[in-house]
Amino acid sequence: MLDYISGMSQHSFFFAEANQRQFRPMLETALDRSGLLAKTPAAARYGLQIEFVDLRGSFIGVDFDSRSRAIYRIVERRSGRVLSEQTVDAGFMLKYIGVVEEDLVVANLVTNAVWAVGLEHVAASGGGSTAWRQAYQATLWSTLFVPIQFLNPTNFFARGDFYGNSRVPRPHVLNGDLSTDGYGSRNGFERGVQADKQMMRQSIAKFFIGLSQEQRIPMTVILPCAYNREIESVKLDLSIRGIPYNGESCKMSPVAIIQ
């Protein structure tokens, strides 16, 4: 059962900062899925106490960095005896995304649309120099669409998530919850929340990994879907060592084959 969380505010105010309104649901979901969450507070024999001794977020800039150091402590609720204590450092750098292929596609569509309207205007006015100049200016403004979006001031400010209810997509990362960097939203308001949430996911994941190693509880290994000698060798080794593993089925359904 979660006893308390200290060193972390209930809300983030003007700037992005990891807060309990974001952290608690993520932690309780992880505890529930792992089978460590008691059904009721009265049934809990042990309590989890978390103390954040360092917590930093981003305010303004290009790349948003979110970092924390937390002490995860498991105590016996009846006696108060500390059964486990570990210090977890977590950090995630969310890099600012520059011009991508989708921006160029949008700019091209805007340019074509504006140019088509300009040509219609030229044709309707008899092709005068003024009409051609207006069509050229419209095309020039449309080509500036991408730089204007790229340099939007709101892209560089990390706003606070006061109620902890901001729904933002997961950033693009390579190593799941243990990733230390990645790319997220270009919008600074969203990017700040993404950086904080990814840092908190990393902190929780490291806590569970450390607890499993400390208590010698094998964690389930996730294997890729592949029929090859290397994967089969890994499966055999894990089975001999008594370590559970899981992965998606590689078999294709008959319907998928027919389609």
Side-chain angles (χ1 to χ4, degrees), residues 101-143:
E101 184 178 355
E102 289 78 4
D103 297 321
L104 301 180
V105 171
V106 172
N108 185 53
L109 292 175
V110 173
T111 300
N112 291 340
V114 174
W115 183 246
V117 173
L119 290 180
E120 291 180 2
H121 180 66
V122 170
S125 61
S129 58
T130 301
W132 278 106
R133 184 172 64 255
Q134 291 176 346
Y136 171 76
Q137 291 174 347
T139 304
L140 179 62
W141 279 111
S142 67
T143 57

Side-chain angles (χ1 to χ4, degrees), residues 61-62 64 94-103 145-157 183-192 194:
V62 178
F64 287 170
L94 197 56
K95 302 176 182 178
Y96 181 64
I97 185 170
V99 177
V100 295
E101 184 178 355
E102 289 78 4
D103 297 321
F145 175 79
V146 170
I148 290 175
Q149 289 293 103
F150 180 71
L151 297 176
N152 189 331
T154 60
N155 294 342
F156 310 101
F157 290 92
Y183 291 91
S185 173
R186 181 177 296 158
N187 183 282
F189 297 163
E190 294 184 358
R191 197 162 75 255
Q194 287 178 318

Side-chain angles (χ1 to χ4, degrees), residues 1-246:
M1 200 69 186
L2 180 59
D3 276 352
Y4 64 80
I5 300 172
S6 65
M8 174 184 278
S9 301
Q10 291 288 341
H11 312 278
S12 59
F13 296 93
F14 298 104
F15 299 104
E17 180 184 358
N19 60 71
Q20 293 196 37
R21 294 293 296 268
Q22 298 169 335
F23 183 69
R24 280 180 174 271
M26 298 167 58
L27 177 62
E28 290 174 351
T29 298
L31 291 171
D32 185 42
R33 289 178 177 177
S34 64
L36 297 178
L37 187 65
K39 295 182 179 180
T40 63
R45 296 176 55 192
Y46 308 101
L48 175 60
Q49 303 170 354
I50 304 175
E51 178 186 355
F52 282 89
V53 295
D54 186 22
L55 188 61
R56 288 171 286 165
S58 293
F59 303 143
I60 184 174
V62 178
D63 299 332
F64 287 170
D65 189 22
S66 183
R67 300 192 174 275
S68 71
R69 169 170 290 181
I71 300 174
Y72 289 79
R73 186 180 300 111
I74 298 178
V75 300
E76 190 175 39
R77 304 190 75 181
R78 179 175 297 179
S79 64
R81 182 167 58 98
V82 177
L83 302 178
S84 173
E85 183 174 293
Q86 55 175 304
T87 301
V88 176
D89 290 321
F92 183 77
M93 172 71 74
L94 197 56
K95 302 176 182 178
Y96 181 64
I97 185 170
V99 177
V100 295
E101 184 178 355
E102 289 78 4
D103 297 321
L104 301 180
V105 171
V106 172
N108 185 53
L109 292 175
V110 173
T111 300
N112 291 340
V114 174
W115 183 246
V117 173
L119 290 180
E120 291 180 2
H121 180 66
V122 170
S125 61
S129 58
T130 301
W132 278 106
R133 184 172 64 255
Q134 291 176 346
Y136 171 76
Q137 291 174 347
T139 304
L140 179 62
W141 279 111
S142 67
T143 57
L144 293 176
F145 175 79
V146 170
I148 290 175
Q149 289 293 103
F150 180 71
L151 297 176
N152 189 331
T154 60
N155 294 342
F156 310 101
F157 290 92
R159 184 177 60 183
D161 181 17
F162 184 81
Y163 293 105
N165 295 327
S166 293
R167 299 289 183 264
V168 295
R170 295 284 294 267
H172 300 285
V173 296
L174 295 178
N175 299 314
D177 291 347
L178 295 179
S179 297
T180 57
D181 57 60
Y183 291 91
S185 173
R186 181 177 296 158
N187 183 282
F189 297 163
E190 294 184 358
R191 197 162 75 255
V193 177
Q194 287 178 318
D196 288 332
K197 288 190 173 182
Q198 189 65 28
M199 178 276 293
M200 289 184 284
R201 293 188 186 99
Q202 183 189 135
S203 180
I204 294 171
K206 286 185 174 181
F207 160 66
F208 277 100
I209 292 174
L211 183 63
S212 69
Q213 294 175 346
E214 181 183 81
Q215 301 297 322
R216 298 182 181 180
I217 302 173
M219 300 188 70
T220 300
V221 178
I222 306 299
L223 295 175
C225 170
Y227 282 127
N228 58 49
R229 185 174 301 175
E230 180 181 359
I231 297 299
E232 294 304 317
S233 177
V234 172
K235 290 181 180 179
L236 178 61
D237 178 64
L238 292 175
S239 299
I240 294 174
R241 296 164 58 191
I243 300 176
Y245 63 84
N246 199 357

